[in-house]
């Protein structure tokens, strides 16, 4: 189909996108008005090809004008040139001087004397696809709406568009009196403003003949009009008694479909969308013949309904055939059950791990050299390294603060920084997918607190010894997972599960930050003598000031200032700049306020000991440090004697290790799945099993030295991929959509960023002591909020609060009924609520169910959700990114 807003003699040349078949188009005025006498015509009626070569260039008043013939191959080769001026200049070139542009063509027999143009047409053509009645939910609803009260005129005698339009509008007013249609007001939206009665906006079908020429279907047109006179879309038809010439490319119109739409309407209900529905329906030649032979509106409506059913059945059959072909390509043999296929793929043990190693080995050198010969890639690497450095260091310090509080300084900030540097460097060097970013996460912090609770309250054993045992069991189970290829089960994991876990991570960041701010207010915002309200106020200012500045700089890339590249460059430094500004404010302008920093005694950031010191495990007793922490935990009360590791604590450590390994298995694979998504167009392949083995080895070493665990995490990993990507902006129906062109697959960025994290150990206490603790919680808030826009679930949550007329033309909005969209969103929010309820309940032992709840999301999506929402709708909502 082609959207043809204007159809006059200037239209065929002043358009950026024309059709190949216009070589024989006559240049004459439109609207069916009587042709002017030969002596008064602006240009003689003939073919464009008689006057223009394929590429003629001439200069007028110092301005280069290029005229391209419509006979040139391909659509869209016609230059944006004012047709009359350029054609007249071409003809005049033979008889007058090149620079004589007074437009007084007295010596040309075909062109009268003209002083100046009085108006101009803005013509815009573009090709739009036929509507798929199976995929796009609105198609059948548009037809059903018309069938409720069909408005059809038969044997219309008008020969000009103005007469036909008036007659059709009067018919709507008579048959639908409840509309109170203002005919004259509505009529103005159906004609152009130049007074020549041409159609300003219409849709026509395109036909490809055997010679691959593009021919415009001229037997029918779909006229579009947007007017405030109607509150909902109205459709009417007119069957003409005789063929009517309505202008160029409309020389023999026999049927007119007129669609009146409100000025403000939902995108899927707009005039062009309804126009696509009827143009697709009328594309059937036999259906058009039957419609033009009908005698009554009831007969016309019955034929339309039958045609709609036929088109729906045809599109559904095509969809089923494509689905069967896709399943056959993916499975190879439909007789094999998914379970049998799963075990066939993973056996013998180690097969998939070895396949990952072979796949990634050939790319290992290029992982370090890719993009090093391009200045643009080097700049990308630089900004990504800086972004990663602050995204790793600042949350690591914040998590170190949480661990220090939870374990009474057994695992504190210096150890967290050392663990991040060590684990990040090892993963960058040896992992299969180096674009994934390993880091301690909120769930890991919660589980470390759980391990402390078991060792302290339940068994009264040495914490680090018990922690090491749990970590060793965790590493053992991860190695088993890597060798047995269990990660293949993630093939059943859908986008829905990924986004639920991703948004949960963001919510966890927000909750922990709010807990810190709330704790400061409860401690200092009171009426007692020891309270200092200035501290609570300073915490609020620094925390949310960091968030505000970071978001403003991050959103600068959408502003109109500077060039696109410079805006994106500025946005890359949102995080470090906001921390720098608020650290300056907190340490200098608020120096008289007692803000927490890393030099405070409870965070043990003074270099009084080395984080490299290794304290041997105490299987038969407790260390002196344990007694110190016991006294701190009990506020100096009498402590129970420390016990040795027994059978019960040993078995419990194995159980906890299994639970932690399930957490690692799910979260690490979800992060890797989002990194390896086809939307990112990665070329070197995935390596889930090799990544799992690398993670196991890293965490075994971290456990032995009493350092916090880590794995590939959300949302840092997808954000890292985004930072290394070249993104192209595509405008679709007036909305900007970003498409990833390529991603630089390198180990350089994560390697250097983690080396810088290691160097940060030398920056203790200066200058890290000048970073206030509230600024780090502001960083967590920024990471959480800025990552939400990457999730479709969050997008659909906002749609529930958005006016329907402002819905963007997203694919699932076009394909899925609004009720199904909101139902699926509500079901996802329910699952997210259960996940948050378990994690933030405050019941320590209930948190052990966290990884199993995540795993349970997979069968829930696979077997329960399809009972509430149709599978075709789920495919559109929960398909690939």
């Amino acid at each position: 189909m082609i959207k043809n807003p204007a159809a006059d003699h200037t239209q065929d040349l002043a358009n950026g996108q024309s059709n190949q078949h216009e070589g024989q188009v006559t240049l004459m005025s439109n609207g069916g008005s009587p042709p002017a006498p030969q002596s008064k015509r602006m240009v003689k009626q003939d073919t464009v090809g008689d006057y223009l070569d394929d590429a003629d260039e001439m200069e007028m008043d110092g301005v280069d004008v290029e005229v391209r013939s419509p006979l040139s191959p391909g659509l869209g080769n016609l230059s944006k040139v004012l047709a009359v001026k350029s054609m007249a200049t071409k003809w005049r070139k033979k008889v007058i001087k090149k620079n004589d542009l007074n437009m007084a063509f007295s010596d040309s027999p075909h062109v009268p004397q003209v002083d100046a143009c009085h108006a101009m047409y803005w013509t815009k053509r573009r090709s739009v696809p036929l509507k798929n009645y199976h995929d796009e939910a609105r198609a059948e609803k548009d037809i059903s709406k018309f069938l409720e009260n069909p408005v059809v005129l038969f044997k219309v005698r008008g020969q000009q568009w103005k007469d036909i339009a008036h007659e059709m509008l009067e018919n709507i007013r008579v048959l639908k009196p409840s509309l109170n249609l203002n005919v004259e007001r509505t009529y103005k939206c159906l004609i152009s403003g130049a007074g020549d009665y041409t159609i300003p906006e219409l849709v026509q079908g395109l036909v490809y003949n055997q010679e691959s020429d593009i021919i415009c279907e001229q037997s029918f047109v779909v006229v579009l009009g947007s007017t405030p006179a109607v509150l909902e879309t109205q459709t009417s038809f007119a069957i003409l008694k005789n063929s009517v010439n309505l202008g160029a490319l409309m020389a023999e119109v026999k049927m007119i479909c007129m669609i009146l739409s409100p000025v403000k309407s939902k995108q899927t209900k707009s005039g062009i969308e309804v126009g696509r529905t009827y143009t697709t329906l009328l594309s059937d030649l036999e259906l058009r013949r039957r419609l033009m032979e009908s005698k009554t509106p009831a007969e016309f409506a019955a034929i339309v309904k039958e045609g709609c059913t036929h088109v729906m059945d045809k599109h559904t059959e095509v969809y089923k055939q494509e689905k069967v072909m896709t399943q056959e390509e993916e499975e190879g043999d439909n007789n094999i059950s998914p379970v049998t296929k799963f075990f066939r793929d993973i056996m013998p043990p180690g097969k998939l791990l070895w396949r990952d190693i072979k796949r990634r080995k050939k790319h290992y050198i290029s992982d370090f050299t890719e993009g090093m010969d391009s200045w643009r890639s080097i700049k990308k690497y630089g900004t990504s390294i800086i972004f990663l450095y602050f995204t790793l260091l600042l949350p690591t310090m914040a998590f170190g603060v949480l661990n220090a509080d939870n374990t009474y300084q057994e695992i504190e900030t210096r150890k967290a920084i050392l663990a991040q540097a060590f684990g990040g460097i090892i993963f960058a060097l040896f992992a299969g997918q180096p674009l994934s970013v390993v880091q301690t996460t909120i769930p890991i912090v919660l589980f470390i607190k759980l391990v402390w609770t078991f060792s302290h309250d339940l068994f009264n054993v040495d914490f680090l010894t018990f922690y090491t045992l749990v970590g060793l069991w965790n590493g053992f189970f991860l190695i088993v997972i890597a060798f047995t290829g269990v990660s293949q089960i993630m093939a059943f994991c859908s986008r829905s599960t990924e986004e639920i876990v991703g948004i949960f991570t963001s919510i966890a960041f927000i909750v922990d930050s709010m807990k810190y701010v709330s704790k400061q207010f409860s401690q200092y915002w009171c009426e007692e003598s020891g309270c200092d309200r200035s501290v609570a106020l300073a915490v609020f200012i620094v925390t949310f000031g960091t968030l505000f500045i970071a978001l403003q700089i991050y959103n600068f890339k959408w502003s109109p200032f500077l060039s696109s590249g410079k805006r994106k460059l500025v946005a890359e430094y949102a995080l470090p700049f906001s921390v720098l500004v608020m650290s300056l404010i907190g340490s200098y302008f608020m120096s008289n306020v007692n803000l927490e920093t890393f030099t405070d005694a409870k965070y043990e950031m003074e270099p009084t000991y080395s984080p490299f010191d290794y304290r041997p495990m105490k299987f038969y007793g407790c260390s002196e440090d344990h007694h110190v922490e016991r006294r701190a935990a009990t506020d100096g009360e009498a402590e129970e004697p420390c016990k040795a590791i027994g059978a019960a604590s040993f078995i419990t450590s194995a159980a906890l290790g299994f639970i932690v390994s399930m957490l690692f298995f799910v979260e690490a694979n979800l992060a890797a799945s989002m990194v390896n998504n086809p939307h990112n167009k990665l070329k070197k392949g995935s390596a889930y099993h090799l990544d799992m083995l690398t993670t196991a080895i890293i965490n075994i070493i971290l456990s032995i030295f009493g350092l916090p665990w880590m794995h590939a995490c959300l949302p840092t990993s997808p954000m890292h991929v985004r930072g290394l990507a070249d993104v192209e902006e595509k405008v679709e129906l007036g909305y900007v959509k970003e498409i990833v062109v390529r991603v630089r697959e390198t180990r350089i960025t994560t390697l250097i960023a983690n080396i810088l994290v290691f160097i940060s150990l030398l920056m203790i206490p200066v200058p890290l002591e000048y970073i206030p603790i509230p600024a780090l919680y502001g960083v967590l808030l920024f990471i959480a909020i800025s990552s939400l826009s990457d999730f479709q679930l969050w997008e659909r949550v906002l749609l529930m609060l958005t006016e329907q007329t402002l819905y963007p033309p997203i694919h699932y909005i076009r394909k899925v009924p609004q009720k199904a969209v909101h139902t699926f969103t509500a079901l996802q929010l329910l699952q997210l609520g259960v996940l948050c309820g378990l994690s933030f309940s405050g019941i320590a032992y209930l948190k052990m169910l966290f990884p199993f709840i995540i795993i349970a999301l997979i069968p829930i999506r696979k077997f329960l959700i399809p009972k509430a929402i149709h599978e075709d709708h789920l495919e559109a909502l929960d398909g690939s990114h």
Side-chain angles (χ1 to χ4, degrees), residues 332-572:
D333 187 354
N334 290 330
N335 296 323
I336 300 178
S337 67
V339 177
T340 304
K341 183 177 182 295
F342 172 76
F343 283 105
R344 186 189 66 180
D345 289 342
I346 67 174
M347 299 303 289
K351 181 180 75 172
L352 296 178
L353 176 61
W354 179 244
R355 186 184 299 174
D356 285 350
I357 294 173
K358 289 196 298 183
R359 183 190 302 122
R360 295 297 307 193
K361 182 177 65 174
K362 59 184 178 182
H363 299 297
Y364 191 76
I365 301 300
S366 67
D367 287 342
F368 292 95
T369 59
E370 181 177 345
M372 299 306 291
D373 57 344
S374 168
W375 177 243
R376 182 178 182 181
S377 294
I378 293 175
K379 287 195 296 184
K380 278 276 185 183
Y381 291 165
T383 55
S384 295
I385 288 170
I386 294 173
F387 170 78
L388 265 185
Y389 169 67
F390 285 96
T391 307
L392 292 174
L393 177 64
L394 299 178
T396 297
M397 295 168 68
F399 293 147
V401 171
L402 291 175
N403 281 326
D405 283 338
N406 294 336
T407 64
Y408 294 90
Q409 292 78 47
E410 285 281 10
I411 298 177
E412 35 67 48
T413 307
R414 285 161 58 90
K415 288 186 176 181
I417 296 175
L418 177 62
Q420 176 60 54
F422 171 78
I425 291 173
I426 297 300
F427 196 87
L429 290 174
F430 301 108
Q433 180 50 273
L435 294 181
S436 296
V437 179
V438 291
Q439 193 175 17
T440 297
T441 63
I442 288 291
I444 290 178
V445 173
L446 296 177
F447 265 89
I448 291 176
K449 182 178 181 180
L450 189 64
V451 172
W452 162 266
T453 303
F454 271 87
S455 66
H456 180 275
D457 296 337
L458 189 60
F459 298 114
N460 189 27
V461 296
D462 183 64
F463 164 69
L464 287 182
T465 301
F466 190 71
Y467 175 81
T468 300
L469 285 176
V470 175
L472 292 176
W473 279 114
N474 172 38
F476 167 76
F477 289 120
L478 291 179
I479 291 174
V480 172
I481 290 173
F483 272 92
T484 55
V486 179
S487 293
Q488 283 291 99
I489 200 174
M490 297 306 294
F492 300 101
C493 181
S494 67
R495 177 176 183 166
S496 171
T497 307
E498 295 176 3
E499 296 198 334
I500 290 172
V501 176
I503 292 184
F504 166 78
T505 304
S506 296
I507 292 175
F509 282 6
I510 295 173
V511 168
D512 276 304
S513 300
M514 293 297 99
K515 280 184 178 178
Y516 175 79
V517 175
S518 176
K519 181 180 178 181
Q520 297 299 309
F521 267 81
S522 62
Q523 181 178 352
Y524 294 103
W525 197 272
C526 56
E527 301 295 338
E528 299 175 8
S529 58
C531 295
D532 185 358
R533 291 191 174 188
S534 61
V535 175
L537 187 60
V539 167
F540 181 88
I541 292 174
V542 173
T543 302
F544 292 99
T546 304
L547 171 65
F548 176 78
I549 295 174
L551 285 177
Q552 293 302 311
I553 298 175
Y554 181 76
N555 292 328
F556 183 75
K557 59 185 177 182
W558 306 113
S559 71
F561 305 109
L562 304 181
S563 63
S564 175
K566 292 178 181 177
R567 290 197 301 267
K568 292 178 180 178
L569 183 64
V570 171
E572 293 286 349

Side-chain angles (χ1 to χ4, degrees), residues 14-284:
N15 193 346
Q17 293 183 340
S18 69
N19 301 333
Q20 275 184 319
H21 64 283
E22 293 181 17
Q24 300 297 323
V25 173
T26 56
L27 300 175
M28 56 187 298
S29 59
N30 297 327
S33 57
Q38 182 71 22
S39 60
K40 294 183 179 181
R41 291 188 186 182
M42 188 66 170
V43 295
K44 78 171 185 177
Q45 178 176 335
D46 209 328
T47 61
V48 179
D50 291 340
Y51 302 104
L52 304 180
D53 299 327
D54 269 359
D56 296 314
E57 295 186 4
M58 60 201 75
E59 187 176 350
M60 300 192 303
D61 289 337
V63 179
D64 291 333
V65 178
E66 181 180 356
V67 182
R68 293 190 180 274
S69 169
L71 303 179
S72 301
L75 288 173
N77 288 336
L78 207 56
S79 287
K80 296 178 181 178
V81 191
L82 189 59
V84 176
K85 187 174 182 179
S86 40
M87 289 185 65
T89 306
K90 173 65 180 175
W91 302 331
R92 179 116 174 106
K93 188 176 180 182
K94 301 178 181 179
V95 293
I96 62 175
K97 291 183 180 180
K98 179 176 168 181
N99 293 324
D100 187 6
L101 298 177
N102 58 11
M103 296 297 287
F105 300 111
S106 57
D107 55 343
S108 171
H110 305 297
V111 183
Q113 181 171 344
V114 177
D115 292 332
C117 296
H118 298 288
M120 66 179 68
Y121 274 118
W122 175 26
T123 304
K124 188 177 181 181
R125 287 184 182 177
R126 60 184 178 85
S127 175
V128 293
L130 292 170
K131 179 163 282 190
N132 189 313
Y133 276 43
H134 176 270
D135 288 348
E136 302 191 53
R138 284 299 315 178
E140 195 171 11
K141 291 184 178 182
D142 292 338
I143 301 296
S144 299
K145 186 69 177 177
F146 168 75
L147 295 178
E148 291 176 1
N149 187 6
V151 179
V152 188
L153 273 175
F154 297 94
K155 296 184 179 181
V156 178
R157 298 178 180 274
Q159 293 296 307
Q160 297 184 13
W161 169 238
K162 63 174 182 176
D163 300 326
I164 298 172
H166 267 293
E167 191 170 351
M168 294 181 73
L169 292 174
E170 285 290 345
N171 191 43
I172 295 176
R173 186 181 64 81
V174 172
L175 295 180
K176 294 185 176 182
S178 60
L179 292 179
N180 295 321
L181 186 67
N182 187 323
V183 174
E184 292 302 323
R185 185 183 182 188
T186 308
Y187 172 71
K188 293 179 181 179
C189 76
L190 298 174
I191 61 170
S192 66
D196 58 357
Y197 310 110
T198 58
I199 303 173
E201 188 175 6
L202 57 86
V203 183
Q204 288 180 276
L206 291 179
V207 180
Y208 298 89
N209 63 13
Q210 295 179 350
E211 289 77 23
S212 298
D213 295 328
I214 303 175
I215 300 175
C216 196
E217 176 57 58
Q218 301 189 42
S219 64
F220 77 95
V221 294
V222 178
V223 180
L224 309 179
S226 180
T227 172
V230 296
L231 299 179
E232 60 180 14
T233 303
Q234 304 294 327
T235 304
S236 66
F237 284 86
I239 308 298
L240 307 182
K241 183 175 180 60
N242 300 305
S243 299
V244 174
N245 183 356
L246 296 181
L249 307 182
M250 296 180 290
E252 47 184 20
V253 177
K254 301 175 183 177
M255 180 190 299
I256 298 175
C257 173
M258 183 173 69
I259 298 171
L260 301 176
S261 60
V263 174
K264 196 174 183 181
S265 64
K266 187 179 176 181
Q267 178 63 39
T268 54
K269 299 179 182 179
S270 63
I272 178 59
E273 290 301 322
V274 181
R276 287 178 60 221
T277 297
Y278 286 100
T279 306
T280 303
L281 183 69
L282 297 175
S283 296
D284 188 332

Side-chain angles (χ1 to χ4, degrees), residues 527-773:
E527 301 295 338
E528 299 175 8
S529 58
C531 295
D532 185 358
R533 291 191 174 188
S534 61
V535 175
L537 187 60
V539 167
F540 181 88
I541 292 174
V542 173
T543 302
F544 292 99
T546 304
L547 171 65
F548 176 78
I549 295 174
L551 285 177
Q552 293 302 311
I553 298 175
Y554 181 76
N555 292 328
F556 183 75
K557 59 185 177 182
W558 306 113
S559 71
F561 305 109
L562 304 181
S563 63
S564 175
K566 292 178 181 177
R567 290 197 301 267
K568 292 178 180 178
L569 183 64
V570 171
E572 293 286 349
Y573 295 96
L575 201 59
F577 185 78
S578 62
V579 173
L580 182 64
V581 170
M582 294 313 298
S583 296
L584 178 63
I585 293 175
S587 60
Y588 181 75
F589 293 100
M590 299 180 181
S591 58
N592 59 334
V593 180
N594 188 26
L595 279 176
E596 286 187 310
T597 65
F598 291 107
T599 55
D600 291 349
K602 73 174 188 176
Y603 299 122
E604 293 195 17
M605 288 296 288
E606 292 288 356
T608 57
Y609 74 100
S610 172
F612 300 97
D613 290 342
Y614 170 61
R615 197 181 80 192
M617 291 185 293
K618 297 287 184 178
F619 285 97
Y620 301 101
C622 297
S623 63
E624 179 59 31
D625 291 336
H626 178 87
H627 293 290
V628 174
E629 73 197 31
R630 286 286 296 172
R631 283 192 293 271
T634 57
D635 297 325
E637 298 178 4
E639 55 178 289
E640 298 178 8
C642 184
K643 299 178 182 178
I645 296 293
S649 57
F650 187 81
I651 295 174
T652 303
S653 68
L656 288 175
F658 176 74
I659 295 173
V660 174
S661 68
M662 290 297 98
L663 173 69
F664 278 45
F665 167 73
V666 174
E667 289 208 327
N669 277 317
L670 286 176
S673 177
M674 295 187 72
V675 168
N676 294 309
N677 191 277
H679 172 77
N680 292 327
K681 299 184 173 125
L682 302 183
K683 305 295 185 183
K684 298 179 181 180
S686 60
Y688 292 96
H689 317 286
L690 179 56
D691 288 346
M692 195 60 62
L693 178 63
T694 309
T695 302
I697 295 172
I698 290 173
N699 282 280
I700 287 173
I701 298 173
L702 295 178
S703 300
I704 292 174
F705 287 91
L707 302 177
W709 303 315
M710 61 182 55
H711 58 68
C713 65
L714 295 170
T716 312
S717 297
M719 293 172 72
H720 177 222
V721 175
R722 193 72 167 179
L724 292 172
D726 286 334
V727 179
E728 184 178 84
E729 292 183 349
K730 178 182 177 182
V731 179
E732 182 177 340
L733 297 178
Y735 290 84
V736 178
K737 179 182 179 181
E738 289 189 344
I739 299 175
V740 175
V741 178
R742 65 175 286 239
V743 175
R744 296 158 181 83
E745 301 178 57
T746 179
R747 298 177 186 269
I748 294 293
T749 51
T750 50
L751 179 62
I752 296 179
N754 282 285
I755 290 175
L756 293 177
V757 171
F758 179 78
I759 296 175
S760 299
L761 284 172
L762 305 177
M763 300 164 63
I764 298 173
V766 179
L768 293 184
E769 66 176 353
Y770 294 108
I771 300 178
I773 300 294

